[in-house]
Amino acid sequence: MLRKLMKYEFQATARYFLPMYLLLLVLALVTRLTFSLAFMQTDNTFVKSFLVDIPSVVMGFAYGAGLLAVYVITLLIIVQRFYKNLLGDEGYLMFTLPVTPVQHLWSKILTAFVWYMGGILITLLSFVVLFAESTFFVDLADFFSALGEAMWKEAPHSWVLLLLLLIFLVTSLLHAILEIYGAIVLGCQAKKYRILAGIGVYLLFSVVEQFITSMAFTALFLIPDFPMGLLWIFGYPYENAQAMMVVVELILGGMILYNILLGGGYYILNRQMLKKRLNLE
């Protein structure tokens, strides 16, 4: 049933995301064309200003607005789908299906995660459209070849670091999604002004997380000669490039653990609220 729920969720949201992604690529392409015209040589000031410079500036702003819109609209759609589909009028229908609240929750989490990743990938692709030159792919292949050689020289730490970065990205996105959902389910416990209550809960979550983060970093800097003091604690009493990579790995590992603990807490909150304290409109 989880697969069917996700299929339904993707069908309901793809009609918003796919046109938006296409529009961003079109904006990137048109912006590139206008930037190319900006290098056109002409002695006619009118032509230079109104047919070249102004369109370039306008399209530059339009492309920047498109990038911002991708992430703002992604957030709004994710919030709207979770709130309306599970906690609004549609919730009466959704919770009559032979599906557990946990399956409903995971369908929303995984769909939101995929669309967030889609936004990141389409942003990178738009950069390629905007900035790529004729030798771009050759240069890109050379870059990855040189990067691979450098990573092999620093193996295994370089590969561990890459893996930790990927895990950090995944856990950060899941943490952010679960925090938003947790604020929504708690805000919906209010009898009135549920949206405002949800925003207030989210701000409270953010303040508490900032406090936890600041306290954690304060405690870390009490370690003598931080960050090299971490090496002594974990048995690396030397200073070189490999030692610094170990420090970065330890810090990334701590940040991943932070995401897992808080994200896990938000997940338990969401699951329990949907199972035992469901409050529909």
Side-chain angles (χ1 to χ4, degrees):
M1 285 302 295
L2 177 59
R3 185 174 63 180
K4 292 182 178 180
L5 283 174
M6 291 185 63
K7 180 180 178 181
Y8 168 76
E9 193 67 18
F10 279 121
Q11 289 175 343
T13 52
R15 56 180 175 170
Y16 302 109
F17 286 106
L18 296 183
M20 180 173 63
Y21 293 165
L22 179 61
L23 178 60
L24 181 63
L25 293 179
V26 171
L27 285 173
L29 179 60
V30 176
T31 302
R32 179 189 176 95
L33 293 175
T34 56
F35 282 179
S36 298
L37 291 175
F39 294 98
M40 181 179 66
Q41 300 296 325
T42 178
D43 295 329
N44 191 317
T45 305
F46 176 83
V47 172
K48 181 67 174 174
S49 299
F50 289 92
L51 298 183
V52 178
D53 293 341
I54 293 178
S56 298
V57 173
V58 171
M59 289 309 305
F61 278 111
Y63 173 72
L67 281 179
L68 179 62
V70 166
Y71 295 97
V72 172
I73 294 175
T74 297
L75 174 62
L76 292 177
I77 292 175
I78 287 172
V79 169
Q80 186 262 354
R81 287 296 304 173
F82 186 82
Y83 174 77
K84 184 178 179 181
N85 197 232
L86 295 184
L87 300 169
D89 294 337
E90 295 180 12
Y92 290 101
L93 174 61
M94 296 300 293
F95 284 99
T96 60
L97 298 174
V99 180
T100 65
V102 172
Q103 288 175 318
H104 278 301
L105 178 59
W106 273 110
S107 70
K108 301 299 182 186
I109 293 171
L110 295 176
T111 306
F113 178 80
V114 169
W115 287 126
Y116 265 122
M117 291 301 299
I120 294 173
L121 292 176
I122 205 67
T123 298
L124 295 176
L125 182 57
S126 71
F127 288 161
V128 172
V129 173
L130 187 61
F131 298 111
E133 299 295 337
S134 58
T135 60
F136 173 79
F137 292 103
V138 175
D139 294 338
L140 188 65
D142 292 340
F143 168 78
F144 280 114
S145 177
L147 180 63
E149 291 180 4
M151 292 185 70
W152 277 114
K153 290 180 181 179
E154 297 296 331
H157 288 289
S158 57
W159 299 106
V160 171
L161 186 60
L162 178 61
L163 178 61
L164 288 174
L165 285 171
L166 292 175
I167 296 174
F168 174 69
L169 173 61
V170 171
T171 55
S172 295
L173 283 176
L174 292 175
H175 170 197
I177 292 167
L178 287 163
E179 181 180 2
I180 293 170
Y181 288 168
I184 295 173
V185 294
L186 284 182
C188 286
Q189 298 303 305
K191 295 182 179 179
K192 294 182 178 180
Y193 309 112
R194 304 172 84 187
I195 296 177
L196 289 177
I199 294 173
V201 173
Y202 182 79
L203 293 175
L204 178 61
F205 284 164
S206 299
V207 170
V208 172
E209 287 195 12
Q210 289 177 4
F211 175 77
I212 294 173
T213 303
S214 62
M215 292 298 293
F217 275 102
T218 300
L220 284 176
F221 277 98
L222 292 177
I223 298 174
D225 298 322
F226 179 83
M228 299 310 297
L230 289 176
L231 297 175
W232 180 82
I233 292 175
F234 287 92
Y236 290 91
Y238 52 89
E239 297 184 20
N240 55 31
Q242 187 181 39
M244 291 309 300
M245 291 186 74
V246 172
V247 171
V248 176
E249 290 168 10
L250 292 172
I251 293 174
L252 272 175
M255 295 169 72
I256 290 170
L257 180 62
Y258 171 84
N259 284 330
I260 291 174
L261 291 176
L262 268 72
Y266 290 131
Y267 172 76
I268 294 172
L269 170 66
N270 282 295
R271 185 188 64 185
Q272 293 303 111
M273 295 298 288
L274 290 178
K275 289 175 67 175
K276 299 182 179 180
R277 295 292 302 272
L278 187 62
N279 185 24
L280 302 178
E281 283 187 339

